[in-house]
Amino acid sequence: MSREAILEGLRTRVADGGAIVVAGVGSGLTAAGAVAGGADLLATYSTAIYRILGVPTALAFMPYDDTNAVTLSLVPEVVGRAAGVPVIAGLGAHDPRRPIDRLVSAALDAGADGLTNEPFVGIYTPEMRADLDRAGYGFTREVAMLAEARRRGMLTLGWAFDSDEVRILLGAGVDVVGAMAGITSGGAAADVRRAAFDGFAAMTAAARAADRNAIVVLHGGPLADPAAVAEALAYTGADGYATGSSAERTPVIAAVRDTVAAFRAVPLRPRAG
Amino acid sequence: MRQFDRGEIHARLRAVMDRGEPIVMGGAGIGLVAKAAERGGIDILMAYNTGPFRMAGHGSLAGYLAYGDANAMTLELGREILNAVDDTPVVGGIGAADPFRDIGRLIGEMMDLGFSGITNVPTTGLYDGKFRAHIDATKLGYPREIDLIRMCRDRDVFTVAYAFSTDEARAMAEAGADIIGAHVGLTSGGWIGAAATLDIDRACEATQAMLEAARAGRADVLVVAHGGPFEDPESVRSVFERTDVVGYLGASSIERLPVERAVSGVVRDFKALRPRATRTAG
């Protein structure tokens, strides 16, 4: 689907008063589930794949796998179950062995309609990010990858950890800003929750100041269920929410657990003698 | 290639120290560097996944992002390095957080290949802040590296443990590490080194503090300096004078920085020549 058509669909959704839902999926099966639930966009990236494998998602930020190979191999599976819903691939722009233009080509070849900067270096501390930037693997390279994807007609979702990053992403032509509050933790203490909400609000405001029509989705921190997302959207004025563990690991585990338990509760016919 | 047992390595290190020399250990990300380091008299070679990234022109930190299977890279590097040297113990890195391998079996595989010891690289000690708290909470963190060192000690496998704090230095000494590399941060210098490091005074203080903590954990542990501003013989001279370390472990300083300088220098020298054929052109 063309970038323009996708954006038009998102704008219509917002104009109709509905929150945009970007569903993060790590398998064809959960992609199909997300589509059936009405997801506006699908996003597939390595942390989603790891949570489906049942291994810690921090692996997307540690050196035990080739995260881009993992994601690129899953994109066709997700596209095959997307039933026309646009698919965004999350790629690590800092890959020392894959230049940015090849990453973008690979995402297009795999059938992705869009690109996002995940894994991102925003997960690390400022000191480590400074060292990464100096070695050429920082946020700057994430922005360059998204700009290249935009140039080649892909929809771009840019993840930001603060207002400065929001402005840089919009300056590079990113279509949808993702305001990120870090790893989803759910029921956080009230002050932590308030800080995350204020962070979301600041990033949303920064986006709107840079571009009145900017589309902003939220993710992470206290946003683990629909009630928290409703509160955050009301507080910030953002346009939607990107699901992660909240619409994949958590419901999958609960559904499988409860179903197996229900089967196990089925009694046998009493044995004779 | 020669494989050394733990006792043999200690006997060699004892002899080095008895001669009043420092123990010098160095990372090698390609066979050529291993061979050159051996000719220079290196006491222990270190092989781990950051080496090939360094020698491919990337920063060591590339070995801490998710763009490769660190333990597979080290096994591959072992095949290259082990056969490039004749009489030097080679210590291989194990990333203890590997979710796809059993660490006990991996130690066996590394020793079967011909490594003479094990170290905790890639180490989660290089991550900090919120991300570090998160990986510790999901049991991918430094405690697994302490378990790795203990497991090696139980099998009488020689170990070098990188530690980043006094608590970690002590824990590693208690777990049985033969050598503690007191890590004071990513090495500075050159084209892609760390942007900001401790100054020499503070790096020496941090090194000595880790050394004292390690010795409190086990009196006979050997402690060497590593990282941060200790990037060349001159800076290492200060840590030898101001702390009780018995040696130095260099990775970027032993391979990346000298190769950057040497190759760019010699190319510049070639370029400075003026061929007769073009001398009068223009």
Side-chain angles (χ1 to χ4, degrees), chain A residues 17 21 33 46 67 70-71 75 87 122 124 130 170 175 188 211 214 217 227 234:
Chain A
V21 173
S46 56
T67 179
V70 166
T71 300
V75 170
V87 175
Y124 305 116
L170 286 170
D175 299 301
D211 173 1
V217 298

Side-chain angles (χ1 to χ4, degrees), chain B residues 13 23 28 87 219 222 281:
Chain B
L13 298 179
I23 295 169
D87 193 36
L222 301 174

Side-chain angles (χ1 to χ4, degrees), chain B residues 128-167:
Chain B
D128 51 10
K130 264 197 224 167
F131 181 65
R132 173 72 180 273
H134 175 66
I135 56 180
D136 282 343
T138 51
K139 310 250 184 300
L140 292 169
Y142 199 80
R144 277 172 83 139
E145 299 172 31
I146 298 170
D147 291 344
L148 164 75
I149 297 300
R150 190 179 295 114
M151 218 185 295
C152 289
R153 181 58 188 262
D154 289 346
R155 300 178 187 197
D156 207 28
V157 168
F158 184 83
T159 54
V160 180
Y162 283 100
F164 298 76
S165 68
T166 51
D167 285 349

Side-chain angles (χ1 to χ4, degrees), chain A residues 43-47 49 60-61 66-75 88-95 98-112 114-121 138-139 141-146 149 154 157-159, chain B residues 66-67:
Chain A
T44 190
Y45 43 83
S46 56
T47 50
I49 299 167
F61 306 96
D66 179 347
T67 179
N68 285 331
V70 166
T71 300
L72 288 167
S73 71
L74 188 74
V75 170
I88 297 175
L91 294 180
H94 341 84
D95 192 329
R98 293 185 184 91
I100 280 166
D101 59 332
R102 279 185 49 203
L103 280 172
V104 174
S105 299
L108 282 166
D109 289 347
L115 197 64
T116 187
N117 56 322
E118 174 156 16
F120 27 63
V121 297
F139 179 69
R141 192 145 147 169
E142 297 174 23
V143 176
M145 179 182 77
L146 293 171
M154 300 184 86
L157 164 59
W159 287 107
Chain B
Y67 302 110

Side-chain angles (χ1 to χ4, degrees), chain B:
Chain B
M1 174 179 100
R2 179 179 157 201
Q3 189 167 34
F4 294 78
D5 67 31
R6 194 167 157 259
E8 289 174 315
I9 300 175
H10 272 292
R12 282 168 70 113
L13 298 179
R14 186 76 263 156
V16 168
M17 291 186 284
D18 286 348
R19 291 195 297 271
E21 298 170 11
I23 295 169
V24 177
M25 306 158 65
I30 51 173
L32 178 65
V33 164
K35 191 171 279 234
E38 181 173 59
R39 299 279 170 92
I42 199 108
D43 296 300
I44 294 175
L45 279 166
M46 308 287 287
Y48 35 71
N49 75 314
T50 57
F53 280 115
R54 262 196 301 275
M55 301 316 284
H58 308 295
S60 302
L61 271 183
Y64 284 87
L65 304 179
Y67 302 110
D69 175 348
N71 288 325
M73 285 178 73
T74 299
L75 287 166
E76 189 57 38
L77 178 62
R79 291 182 189 96
E80 179 179 332
I81 301 284
L82 289 164
N83 284 309
V85 296
D86 298 321
D87 193 36
T88 305
V90 182
V91 168
I94 285 183
D98 193 332
F100 305 117
R101 288 185 181 83
D102 177 85
I103 296 305
R105 292 174 67 121
L106 183 56
I107 295 169
E109 197 179 340
M110 300 272 287
M111 300 310 286
D112 286 348
L113 197 63
F115 282 111
S116 296
I118 299 292
T119 187
N120 59 323
V121 177
T123 168
T124 54
L126 225 58
Y127 305 114
D128 51 10
K130 264 197 224 167
F131 181 65
R132 173 72 180 273
H134 175 66
I135 56 180
D136 282 343
T138 51
K139 310 250 184 300
L140 292 169
Y142 199 80
R144 277 172 83 139
E145 299 172 31
I146 298 170
D147 291 344
L148 164 75
I149 297 300
R150 190 179 295 114
M151 218 185 295
C152 289
R153 181 58 188 262
D154 289 346
R155 300 178 187 197
D156 207 28
V157 168
F158 184 83
T159 54
V160 180
Y162 283 100
F164 298 76
S165 68
T166 51
D167 285 349
E168 291 174 1
R170 184 180 181 126
M172 282 299 197
E174 285 170 352
D178 292 290
I179 295 182
I180 304 278
H183 201 306
V184 293
L186 196 68
T187 305
S188 58
W191 303 328
I192 48 178
T197 63
L198 295 182
D199 62 33
I200 294 262
D201 290 345
R202 292 190 46 210
C204 286
E205 283 166 23
T207 302
Q208 181 69 16
M210 283 191 264
L211 178 144
E212 285 167 15
R215 286 197 185 156
R218 208 184 78 241
D220 66 350
V221 69
L222 301 174
V223 180
V224 298
H226 175 76
F230 304 130
E231 62 172 64
D232 56 21
E234 208 42 55
S235 47
V236 170
R237 183 194 301 274
S238 9
V239 76
F240 285 178
E241 279 168 3
R242 298 194 221 167
T243 73
D244 298 316
V245 296
V246 292
Y248 172 67
L249 197 177
S252 292
S253 63
I254 296 255
E255 57 181 354
R256 178 172 64 80
L257 297 170
V259 170
E260 282 179 358
R261 282 194 290 265
V263 175
S264 59
V266 84
V267 168
R268 220 173 283 132
D269 291 346
F270 278 120
K271 285 293 286 180
L273 301 176
R274 290 292 172 263
R276 186 173 78 178
T278 59
R279 204 180 295 158
T280 55

